Structure formats: structure tokens, C-alpha cells
Amino acid sequence: MPLLLFIAVLLELLMPVAAQASATSFPALSGRSDAPVLVVYSSLDEPLAKPMIAGFQAANPDVAVRYEEMLTGEIYDRIVRETDAGKPSADFAFSSAMDLQVKLANDGYAQRSDLPMSDRWPSWANWRNTAYALTFEPAVFVYHKPSFADEPPPSTRAEFVDFLNRRGDDVYGRIGTYDIERSGVGFLFMSRDQEQFGDIWSVIRTMGSAGVKLYSTSQAILERVADGRFVLGYNILGSYAADWASRHPDVGIVLPKDYTVVMSRIGLVPQAAASPDLGRRYLEFFMSKEGQTIMARELQIPAVSPEVSGNNTATTMREMLGGQLKPVPVSLGLMVYLDQVKRARLIARWNDVLRQQ
């Protein structure tokens, strides 16, 4: 397997995805048989993407959409392969692999998109008007509410460590987090933890002593918190936690008060897009007030636009939490852990510290 594709598979960000690319066609609402076709490569589950596609087509009834759902590594690999072969690629790419999207942009596989919202987009969420962060998804603590009937759940990493030190025997084997070797979001969150918190390895060591269980998916952890097998989950992707909490009343969520890492899904127009004007039109809709409202309310993924407020938006979270929120910037810094040596060192230290008792 090529090195970058191998890394990309490891960096897959824990959302429902097909085992291989699958394509769904959405005919133009106008019924026009020769309608131009917008081609989208995306790691977002097609059923979740439908409200955004519906909103776009309502505003653009003469445009058909071909939605190709695939793994983040496949998105990267296909765009590179098609571009290098001189073939047309997707008109728009939407992926949760922040590092690979930035690498596409930096290596010349994405084109600049100067849009009405470009100058108003948060500076951390816009790399050279080429790669745009379109969501605002925090890493949270999740907890089993009945297990905390007599005390509040931890709200900082120091409190998390204190709880495990005090209750370690009672909750041994009932703590869950991502396996950073197999989980892209887990690796991303851990790398940011290392930058934000000088004592992070004490947290990891304490979780190891408490028999922490490691998983590659959010669902595996959340279902165990929901039914009480687990009392706590560490660094869980907030968009999935919120969805579970809405359907499972025993699931509670805490945005850590010391700092809360925020990741984003990135959209861009590939350099080899067959119809770059359509790709930019879709990106513009994604960034519009209407598109970001659909994101927050219908897709249940927090919106990043400063023009959108209310539940499930960056605006409201910032009003409530301020500097506590630490979004991952869309920058070349994301490519650091594509370096195989640096990645291997972090994973080796993680495994070593977890084993320490």
C-alpha cells in the first residue's frame, strides 16, 4: 500500500463511511436532461449529506449532483491520481482528514476560491482562500449520568485525573477513549493535547492505571456509556456525542473547562475539477448563512460561520466558552504528523505510558 494512503487509512476520522466509494445521483429539479453535473467527493455519509444537497439544488434547480461517498484516504488518493493523469476530478471535495486536505491544497491539487464570505471567514479556518474549515466540532468528555448522581462529573483534565485516582478501583475498565493508532480523530486530539497541556502524559498514565479501553469508533464508546458499562469517555467527537445524548438520556456531555480542542471538516475545489464553477458554487452555498444553518440544524454538525448563531454554532459556543475553545487551525502545521517518524514516536510513547502502572 502506498505510504500516504496507508497513513490516511490510519487517520480516518470516525464517521459512518462506506467500505468503498459509492455514488448517488440527484437529478436536476428542473427536470432538464442535459443539466450540468456537480461531482462531489465526500467522507460524509450520503444520508447525512442529503439536506445540504437539497438546499443547494433548491437554489440551483438546473444543476444535477453526483455524490461519491468514500474514505478520506480514497478522496486524497483519487484527486492526486486523476490530476497527475491529466484527467478531470471532483468539482468539490469535503473531508474530515484535515491534514490530507491541507496537503492537497499545499501541493497544488486544489485551486483558489475567492467567494463572498472569504474575507469574513475566521482566519484560522481559511488557508489562502483554498481550503476552508466548514464545521466546528469540539472534543468532549462524555459520562454516564446515573453514575454521577452523588458528585459532578470531571470538568477539567486535573479533575479527570483526581476522579480516577479516588475511584480507580470502582471504575476500573469502565473508561473509554480512542485508539490513536487506528483513529484519526483520536490521533489529532492527542497531538493537540500534547501542545495544549504540559501534564498530558499524567492523564494518559492515570487512564492506563484505570484500565482504559481503546476503540477506533465513537459509537463503540458512546454505546457503552449509554448503557452504563462505561462511566466516562475522554476526548470524544462532540457532534457524535450530541447526537447520542439527544437519543439516550443517560449520556451527559462536558466541554472541558481547561481547554476544548475543536476540529473541522474541510472543503475545497480540486485543481483538476471538471466544472470548477459548480464546485465554487457549492462551496459558496456551504459557507452561506442558509448552508451553515442547514449544517447546524439538519445535519446536526456545528457550524463555523460567524453569521450563524443559536444552538450548534461556533458563535454561541464562543459566547459561552470564549478562550476555552482551541480550534485546530487550517494551516501547514497539520501536515507535521504525516511525517511517519514523528507519528511513530508519538504512538510509541502513548503505548508505553499507557502500560506504566
Side-chain angles (χ1 to χ4, degrees):
M1 178 183 293
L3 176 60
L4 278 174
L5 182 56
F6 172 72
I7 295 171
V9 171
L10 290 175
L11 293 177
E12 187 60 38
L13 287 188
L14 300 182
M15 60 189 62
V17 290
Q20 55 186 352
S22 62
T24 305
S25 295
F26 298 85
L29 298 182
S30 66
R32 180 179 162 188
S33 59
D34 62 343
V37 179
L38 164 72
V39 178
V40 177
Y41 293 173
S42 176
S43 61
L44 184 66
D45 226 14
E46 179 265 331
L48 289 177
K50 281 183 177 179
M52 190 67 73
I53 295 170
F56 173 77
Q57 288 193 301
N60 299 270
D62 284 335
V63 177
V65 177
R66 177 179 171 84
Y67 189 88
E68 299 198 31
E69 176 193 332
M70 60 188 80
L71 299 173
T72 58
E74 291 175 311
I75 293 172
Y76 174 87
D77 190 55
R78 275 191 62 177
I79 290 173
V80 169
R81 185 174 66 248
E82 289 163 350
T83 305
D84 288 352
K87 297 179 180 179
S89 192
D91 303 314
F92 180 75
F94 184 56
S95 172
S96 56
M98 297 182 72
D99 47 7
L100 292 181
Q101 290 288 84
V102 168
K103 183 168 176 58
L104 284 174
N106 184 63
D107 291 353
Y109 290 99
Q111 55 184 280
R112 187 179 176 95
S113 295
D114 297 317
L115 301 170
M117 282 297 295
S118 294
D119 291 341
R120 286 172 283 169
W121 213 246
S123 58
W124 65 265
N126 176 1
W127 191 76
R128 301 181 181 177
N129 284 12
T130 304
Y132 293 90
L134 300 174
T135 68
F136 195 81
E137 302 176 61
V140 303
F141 300 165
V142 294
Y143 65 98
H144 180 242
K145 289 181 179 179
S147 296
F148 289 90
D150 299 325
E151 65 176 309
S155 61
T156 67
R157 285 159 184 82
E159 290 179 7
F160 198 96
V161 168
D162 178 68
F163 173 81
L164 294 183
N165 284 334
R166 288 187 294 106
R167 300 280 307 278
D169 291 340
D170 298 337
V171 301
Y172 187 86
R174 298 178 65 200
I175 313 297
T177 194
Y178 297 127
D179 180 347
I180 72 167
E181 288 192 76
R182 297 185 295 147
S183 158
V185 73
F187 186 89
L188 176 65
F189 289 158
M190 180 59 210
S191 64
R192 300 303 289 185
D193 270 348
Q194 189 176 223
E195 296 169 7
Q196 294 289 338
F197 190 58
D199 203 27
I200 189 59
W201 294 107
S202 292
V203 179
I204 307 307
R205 185 177 299 107
T206 305
M207 286 200 293
S209 297
V212 66
K213 301 292 180 63
L214 307 180
Y215 296 90
S216 61
T217 68
S218 304
Q219 179 176 330
I221 299 166
L222 288 162
E223 66 184 13
R224 287 165 172 80
V225 172
D227 64 18
R229 281 178 286 172
F230 285 0
V231 295
L232 282 168
Y234 178 78
N235 262 4
I236 309 306
L237 190 59
S239 51
Y240 290 113
D243 177 60
W244 270 76
S246 70
R247 295 180 287 110
H248 301 274
D250 285 344
V251 175
I253 296 174
V254 173
L255 276 72
K257 291 181 180 178
D258 44 3
Y259 66 91
T260 300
V261 175
V262 180
M263 63 80 65
S264 302
R265 308 178 203 221
I266 294 177
L268 54 78
V269 177
Q271 184 63 42
S275 302
D277 57 327
L278 290 182
R280 270 188 280 276
R281 205 186 306 179
Y282 194 54
L283 176 56
E284 181 179 343
F285 183 77
F286 247 97
M287 297 171 69
S288 70
K289 187 173 183 178
E290 181 182 358
Q292 288 282 292
T293 299
I294 290 172
M295 179 83 72
R297 295 182 183 175
E298 298 188 51
L299 276 65
Q300 290 296 305
I301 299 174
V304 69
S305 172
E307 293 194 345
V308 179
S309 59
N311 292 335
N312 223 21
T313 66
T315 300
T316 298
M317 279 192 261
R318 285 194 178 280
E319 288 173 355
M320 294 173 58
L321 305 170
Q324 169 183 334
L325 297 168
K326 304 294 183 183
V328 178
V330 183
S331 71
L332 298 183
L334 281 162
M335 295 168 54
V336 169
Y337 288 98
L338 286 176
D339 182 309
Q340 186 78 326
V341 174
K342 291 179 180 177
R343 178 181 176 82
R345 284 175 182 163
L346 179 58
I347 291 173
R349 185 174 184 187
W350 160 272
N351 287 327
D352 181 58
V353 171
L354 278 179
R355 286 192 294 265
Q356 294 175 13
Q357 300 297 319

